Amino acid sequence: QAQLVESGGGLVQPGGSLRLSCTAFGFTLNYNTVGWFRQAPGKNREGVSCNHYRDNMTYYTDSVKGRFTISRDNAQKMVYLQMNNLKPEDTGRYHCGIMGPGGTWPPGPDDYDYWGQGTQVTVSS
């Protein structure tokens, strides 16, 4: 059964780093857009970053530019999100998603065809 499984979340102090991983069991990533979105308590889901399969085109929401880096390993069926200089406003549940070819760019949280259960990130002192 195809599924996306996220890991790597946790509790970190402001200024700290985390690396989120997403394993895409049963998927082929080569021709899909992959990305991350998050949801904080009481807030709407927010697209964080995504990577297009063609030309390695990448998008970051303004609040994470310069701090987060998305990457992918198609052969290993993995998607990563390196998060540096974390801030309390980065707190939320982070989900990875896959969108098939031809979808909108950049995809919003509702544009993904598949997504995982998420991993919790809490930034607090």
Side-chain angles (χ1 to χ4, degrees):
Q1 180 179 355
Q3 60 176 339
L4 299 172
V5 180
E6 302 92 340
S7 61
L11 173 64
V12 63
Q13 292 185 343
S17 297
L18 285 174
R19 188 193 195 206
L20 305 185
S21 298
C22 173
T23 306
F25 295 103
F27 289 98
T28 298
L29 298 184
N30 299 56
Y31 301 105
N32 291 300
T33 292
V34 296
W36 293 87
F37 60 92
R38 65 189 178 188
Q39 185 160 27
K43 295 185 178 181
N44 293 330
R45 292 184 300 170
E46 174 190 26
V48 176
S49 179
C50 51
N51 176 265
H52 199 282
Y53 64 90
R54 187 178 62 216
D55 299 330
N56 201 33
M57 187 164 55
T58 301
Y59 164 86
Y60 297 96
T61 193
D62 286 345
S63 63
V64 309
K65 285 180 180 177
R67 301 188 297 121
F68 289 13
T69 303
I70 189 172
S71 59
R72 65 196 292 171
D73 184 332
N74 290 341
Q76 297 298 320
K77 301 186 177 184
M78 297 292 296
V79 184
Y80 303 99
L81 186 68
Q82 177 67 42
M83 307 188 297
N84 298 328
N85 191 21
L86 282 160
K87 303 177 180 181
E89 51 264 42
D90 295 318
T91 294
R93 191 161 188 87
Y94 284 69
H95 302 260
C96 71
I98 290 177
M99 183 179 70
T104 190
W105 178 263
D110 292 336
D111 295 316
Y112 289 101
D113 299 308
Y114 303 95
W115 55 90
Q117 292 298 310
T119 185
Q120 179 68 32
V121 172
T122 303
V123 185
S124 175
S125 55

